[in-house]
Amino acid sequence: MVRFLLLFCSVLAALFAIEMLKPVQEAVIQPFTGLLASISTAIIVPFDDAVIAQGRVLRDATSGFAVSIEAGCNGVEAAIVLIAGVVAFPATLKNKLVAIVAGFFFVQALNIVRIISLFYLGQWNYTVFEWFHLYLWPVLIMLDVLIVFAVYLRWLGKAQPAEEAPC
Amino acid sequence: MRRQFVLTLALMPITFGLWYAAGTLFAGPAVWLCDVILSGAYPGVIDDIGLQGLKLVAITQFGDLDGQLMRAQDAGNQIALQINTRLVSYSIAFYAALLLASNLKDGVYKFCVGLAWLWITMAFGLASIIGKDLLMMVGSPFLQAPGVPPADVLALTYQFNVLLMPTLAPVFIWFWQLRGSPLWEALEADIKRASARA
């Protein structure tokens, strides 16, 4: 437990520091955030063709309402928590990689739901938008991370030992 | 574990409603602790910190004269920052939902202990918001003040204490307090099985 916590905190701090580096922001985080806006737009457009993505901004051409996906809104912090947990827990490299890729996908899938919901909540009622944006969605994303990690632990426990056994 | 997550989600409207209704009640101790932290960390930056409604009000030792930011004694006025304490205090509502969903023995005592820890993390969160606001608003005179860390460190602590800790700290505290409970035993069995396969 202590080993897990120490390793978890170390990996968390290291990944956070790396994420904050300017070259990483420019080469990875900002393009990724733009990609999230594009994916969100691609999902919305078949139902609402007034929506356009401009970089990290999702805009409704009719009402003019827009949401900008900023640091802290791109799900990267939540993914870093998950990665730190997976890395700190003893498992084979293959299992860790599977967990990181699948976990990242699940966190970002919920994050896209969050972005789309906020886009429409903001057009409906700004107070409700603020509530969801500032208080409820961060909690739901962290619960998602927790669920993914719990599922990972259960999956590790049930994984067939034959998979790892020498031939 | 499935029951825990479903119950947490079901209880969240109640705990968030209570947290909202409680208003300043949950913010007071964190604001006081924040004052203690900043008095020690930035002795020449913050003059006073108080709570006005739901907002933390920090009176700085910087002022504005004809659009130029400078030391308050030169400007003849003081810049005040207003910070919404709910930006960090929602961690209490999340923690309460996690704890209530687990139905632990000595739940009230555990909640009080957890609350004390959360007040500490909230205080650091509020201090980080003040640091970020001063960096954005005052800039160079703030960075040159004694005890103020470099801009990158301020940005990192803001990310960590404001964007992450309000949701991560409740999970840590709840997880720690789970020990000895039936839920912990089930989780421990999962962890042992998983570790054995590694």
Side-chain angles (χ1 to χ4, degrees):
Chain A
M1 180 78 163
V2 175
R3 180 189 168 275
F4 172 81
L5 282 177
L6 286 175
L7 202 53
F8 174 81
C9 292
S10 308
V11 176
L12 193 70
L15 289 177
F16 251 91
I18 292 168
E19 187 220 351
M20 294 289 293
L21 294 173
K22 207 176 168 196
V24 177
Q25 283 285 328
E26 285 172 358
V28 182
I29 305 297
Q30 285 173 17
F32 174 73
T33 310
L35 178 70
L36 277 182
S38 304
I39 294 172
S40 305
T41 312
I43 293 170
I44 299 172
V45 161
F47 309 98
D48 184 354
D49 57 8
V51 181
I52 44 172
Q54 295 169 319
R56 291 179 296 167
V57 178
L58 207 62
R59 186 182 302 278
D60 184 272
T62 316
S63 65
F65 180 82
V67 289
S68 176
I69 308 167
E70 299 292 336
C73 307
N74 53 18
V76 171
E77 286 79 11
I80 284 175
V81 173
L82 181 67
I83 292 168
V86 170
V87 169
F89 194 82
T92 63
L93 183 63
K94 185 186 157 196
N95 284 343
K96 285 183 183 186
L97 286 174
V98 169
I100 288 170
V101 172
F104 188 81
F105 173 79
F106 280 113
V107 169
Q108 289 306 333
L110 189 66
N111 196 41
I112 286 171
V113 174
R114 182 181 88 111
I115 292 165
I116 295 172
S117 74
L118 289 175
F119 179 66
Y120 285 103
L121 283 173
Q123 292 179 71
W124 172 59
N125 185 312
Y126 194 74
T127 308
V128 176
F129 166 85
E130 280 216 318
W131 252 81
F132 272 81
H133 177 225
L134 298 174
Y135 316 129
L136 289 178
W137 267 117
V139 167
L140 293 174
I141 296 278
M142 185 53 75
L143 266 182
D144 186 34
V145 169
L146 205 55
I147 290 169
V148 169
F149 192 68
V151 170
Y152 169 62
L153 288 185
R154 183 145 289 194
W155 175 71
L156 273 184
K158 285 180 179 168
Q160 290 299 314
E163 187 183 302
E164 312 296 329
C167 298
Chain B
M1 217 40 186
R2 189 180 302 150
R3 182 182 170 275
Q4 166 71 36
F5 290 126
V6 172
L7 262 179
T8 302
L9 281 173
L11 287 165
M12 269 172 54
I14 300 167
T15 57
F16 270 81
L18 289 171
W19 159 76
Y20 188 77
T24 57
L25 188 68
F26 289 125
V31 170
W32 176 77
L33 277 171
C34 177
D35 191 15
V36 173
I37 292 167
L38 288 181
S39 307
Y42 309 150
V45 172
I46 301 294
D47 203 21
D48 189 32
I49 286 182
L51 195 57
Q52 278 182 13
L54 280 166
K55 298 220 162 129
L56 175 154
V57 178
I59 311 292
T60 71
Q61 295 190 15
F62 298 103
D64 179 5
L65 186 64
D66 300 328
Q68 284 242 309
L69 293 167
M70 56 188 74
R71 303 295 307 177
Q73 62 261 39
D74 301 325
N77 56 55
Q78 286 177 290
I79 292 172
L81 301 173
Q82 285 195 328
I83 291 153
N84 176 9
T85 53
R86 283 195 172 130
L87 287 175
V88 288
S89 71
Y90 71 92
S91 59
I92 294 170
F94 179 35
Y95 168 67
L98 283 170
L99 197 66
L100 277 172
S102 306
N103 196 22
L104 298 179
K105 222 170 96 180
D106 302 325
V108 175
Y109 169 74
K110 283 179 174 160
F111 178 75
C112 293
V113 172
L115 190 59
W117 282 108
L118 284 179
W119 275 329
I120 296 170
T121 63
M122 280 167 57
F124 279 101
L126 292 169
S128 300
I129 298 174
I130 292 174
K132 188 264 293 176
D133 283 359
L134 284 169
L135 177 68
M136 307 291 275
M137 192 188 289
V138 180
S140 180
F142 168 58
L143 287 171
Q144 284 160 9
V148 176
D152 288 345
V153 175
L154 288 170
L156 190 65
T157 53
Y158 174 79
Q159 286 266 93
F160 196 78
N161 290 329
V162 182
L163 300 181
L164 190 64
M165 285 312 272
T167 52
L168 190 60
V171 172
F172 263 137
I173 296 167
W174 162 75
F175 193 69
W176 190 258
Q177 291 180 332
L178 265 188
R179 286 172 311 146
S181 69
L183 181 62
W184 172 262
E185 281 163 18
L187 200 63
E188 200 178 27
D190 272 354
I191 292 170
K192 277 182 180 159
R193 268 198 303 273
S195 301
R197 300 252 190 263

